[in-house]
Amino acid sequence: MTKTIDLDEQARDILKMNDRGGYTIPTKGLYPYQWNWDSAFAALGFAQFNCARAWAELETLFSAQWADGMVPHIVFHKADPGYYPGPDVWGGTGPIPSSGITQPPIAATMARLIFEKDQSLGEEHMRTLFPKLRRWHSWFMQWRLDQGAVCVTHPWEAGRDNTPEWDAPMARIDPTDVGEYVRRDTQHVDGSMRPTKYDYDRYIWLVQMGRRLHWDQQKLLDENPFRVADPTMTFTLLRAQRDLLAMGQMLGLDVDGIAEEIEILEQGAQTLWNPEIESFDARDAHSGEWANCVSNASFLCWYAGLDSEGQTKQLQRVLDKVQYGVPSHDPESDKFDGRRYWRGPTWAVMNLLIGLGLEERNHPLAERVRIATKTLIEESGFSEYFDPTDGSAAGGQGFTWTAAVWLSWAGRT
Ligand code: GLC
């Protein structure tokens, strides 16, 4: 009991420590700016003790929304030379210096959860946010669909930077003209837990291409060799649209077209079912080839409101294989690497989304996912991610989103 109280306090302290006034950084040093989906998780964390602060987090994020509706993945409120690639490398064209790509759209879902905690104050905030969320979702619908599934145009967009799902499309990029640059991430965290130079060259090459094209979505559609229909984006957008529709209806707002878009996304989600491996999977939009990967994003189907017996079998299998799931990559795959970022480690935030979806459907594995997450945080603290085989801490420490997961879900008694 004492332990739980301490952890609640520690989690709140982490949120406060990483609060930069209206926005929260993921962790000091490694990630000194506002990240899109990190902020949405942070807002949910704040909502457990300060709803006004939770709404501010989302509003600050949307103050960086671009004219075309895109909401950037990083907002550079205040320059920090310790981070690369910074604002000058990205050349974002929004109202505040930012990156030129987006991240999984979980903000509408988090806003709905916050609203449920805080209906009196929440209504006005929801009314302000609604049209902005609607424009962001429409931007995805306009530019990012492949057979109704949602594509990423940079590995960082999925929020799962170096997952093996990108290996084949990344191999097609020739980054020889990328030039010299100095990575900063490996100055903060051991290189064995981070993406390799091979990956990084390609990340930067894609940023340089976007900048050259002024982040024009039509031009990117024509030129970008990296375009992958991704379960994270597809499932989170489908879920976000459902929440937006529900909120809009509740508040009597104009919800015209959202139900039709949900249908498109539902069909799109089904096109991500790979019958060969019997799992939801990523698909290269250029070649049509499957990634052939069971990742933690495959398990977001319930969060999106979709049941799947096949995916349940996969979840059972991976949870039986490692003690501290849900691993970001299949522990039986030869690409599994338990400490390298999105190639094996367990991420509390993904567990939260998976767990919420399972709980809502009264799935028998729901509690197992929550308890695994709770145990990880109790044993190893608020790390960025964890080794799923022994539960040890990995990546950055004092991490905002892990603290938010504790407060809002994992630490529940
Ligand atoms: C890493 C993660 C991404 C996250 C960011 C900030 O790039 O892969 O999902 O948003 O760090 O925490």
Side-chain angles (χ1 to χ4, degrees):
M1 191 64 193
T2 328
K3 204 170 176 186
T4 307
I5 294 170
D6 285 344
L7 285 172
D8 285 355
E9 224 170 79
Q10 280 176 40
R12 283 192 291 267
D13 285 349
I14 287 174
L15 290 183
K16 290 181 204 159
M17 179 180 76
N18 291 335
D19 185 351
R20 291 295 176 270
Y23 71 95
T24 313
I25 60 167
T27 188
K28 209 166 85 192
L30 188 59
Y31 302 115
Y33 296 109
Q34 182 175 29
W35 260 258
N36 185 322
W37 73 328
D38 296 67
S39 258
F41 286 115
L44 184 65
F46 274 119
Q48 310 309 313
F49 60 99
N50 182 349
C51 281
R53 182 60 189 79
W55 291 114
E57 186 78 29
L58 294 177
E59 280 157 7
T60 308
L61 176 65
F62 278 82
S63 68
Q65 184 165 35
W66 287 22
D68 65 359
M70 199 270 286
V71 182
H73 105 291
I74 311 175
V75 189
F76 303 112
H77 293 284
K78 259 196 283 168
D80 188 317
Y83 184 79
Y84 180 89
D88 46 329
V89 183
W90 283 97
T93 63
I96 299 176
S98 74
S99 68
I101 57 171
T102 194
Q103 260 191 333
I106 60 159
T109 302
M110 298 304 139
R112 184 177 180 191
L113 292 173
I114 297 164
F115 178 78
E116 280 166 4
K117 280 195 90 64
D118 172 45
Q119 302 230 354
S120 55
L121 197 86
E123 177 163 346
E124 201 190 313
H125 290 288
M126 239 357 267
R127 284 184 187 277
T128 317
L129 272 178
F130 183 90
K132 299 177 185 180
L133 289 162
R134 179 83 183 103
R135 283 182 53 230
W136 186 27
H137 295 181
S138 301
W139 174 87
F140 278 108
M141 299 303 293
Q142 180 178 4
W143 295 113
R144 293 303 177 79
L145 296 193
D146 177 64
Q147 300 173 46
V150 185
C151 295
V152 285
T153 63
H154 190 296
W156 287 340
E157 273 196 322
R160 301 185 296 121
D161 310 20
N162 64 339
T163 168
E165 285 143 284
W166 322 138
D167 287 0
M170 284 281 269
R172 256 198 268 111
I173 296 172
D174 171 9
T176 37
D177 57 350
V178 72
E180 295 282 315
Y181 63 91
V182 181
R183 276 176 79 163
R184 302 285 180 170
D185 59 322
T186 42
Q187 293 169 358
H188 301 289
V189 164
D190 189 282
S192 64
M193 295 191 278
R194 299 288 306 173
T196 57
K197 171 160 171 53
Y198 172 95
D199 285 325
Y200 235 82
D201 281 352
R202 285 161 180 78
Y203 299 152
I204 300 304
W205 186 90
L206 284 167
V207 172
Q208 292 170 347
M209 178 194 56
R211 188 197 170 116
R212 178 169 50 78
L213 301 176
H214 303 290
W215 303 104
D216 177 317
Q217 292 302 314
Q218 184 58 56
K219 290 186 185 149
L220 280 165
L221 192 57
D222 299 338
E223 274 197 43
N224 190 344
F226 188 91
R227 190 174 172 85
V228 185
D230 162 42
T232 337
M233 285 293 182
T234 307
F235 289 138
T236 54
L237 184 62
L238 175 50
R239 169 63 187 254
Q241 291 275 56
R242 293 191 201 282
D243 289 319
L244 195 69
L245 177 62
M247 292 304 303
Q249 284 169 337
M250 198 187 305
L251 299 175
L253 302 170
D254 178 9
V255 294
D256 216 30
I258 305 181
E260 290 74 14
E261 292 178 1
I262 289 175
E263 262 175 52
I264 294 170
L265 292 167
E266 279 175 341
Q267 286 163 18
Q270 296 305 341
T271 73
L272 292 183
W273 181 258
N274 178 348
E276 286 274 298
I277 62 165
E278 296 183 23
S279 175
F280 287 107
D281 191 9
R283 179 183 64 236
D284 188 327
H286 288 305
S287 68
E289 280 164 20
W290 290 113
N292 289 316
C293 290
V294 179
S295 74
N296 50 356
S298 310
F299 302 117
L300 293 175
C301 54
W302 298 282
Y303 174 79
L306 307 172
D307 270 325
S308 168
E309 261 178 57
Q311 206 62 58
T312 294
K313 281 191 205 138
Q314 296 287 359
L315 184 56
Q316 184 79 57
R317 179 178 64 79
V318 301
L319 290 177
D320 286 347
K321 211 66 213 167
V322 291
Q323 203 187 334
Y324 302 89
V326 179
S328 47
H329 188 63
D330 189 340
E332 293 191 274
S333 148
D334 52 7
K335 289 190 167 177
F336 174 82
D337 182 344
R339 291 188 76 74
R340 200 178 285 280
Y341 223 35
W342 291 93
R343 300 180 80 89
T346 292
W347 293 71
V349 280
M350 291 296 282
N351 282 15
L352 165 68
L353 302 183
I354 296 167
L356 279 183
L358 293 169
E359 279 176 12
E360 286 163 357
R361 308 190 83 74
N362 291 321
H363 193 288
L365 292 173
E367 195 56 4
R368 191 158 163 198
V369 172
R370 192 182 70 84
I371 295 298
T373 317
K374 184 169 190 263
T375 311
L376 274 171
I377 297 174
E378 281 170 351
E379 288 179 6
S380 300
F382 297 96
S383 320
E384 185 179 9
Y385 48 93
F386 305 87
D387 186 326
T389 55
D390 62 8
S392 58
Q397 303 304 308
F399 229 83
T400 291
W401 65 11
T402 310
V405 168
W406 176 266
L407 290 173
S408 59
W409 174 70
R412 202 170 62 203
T413 41

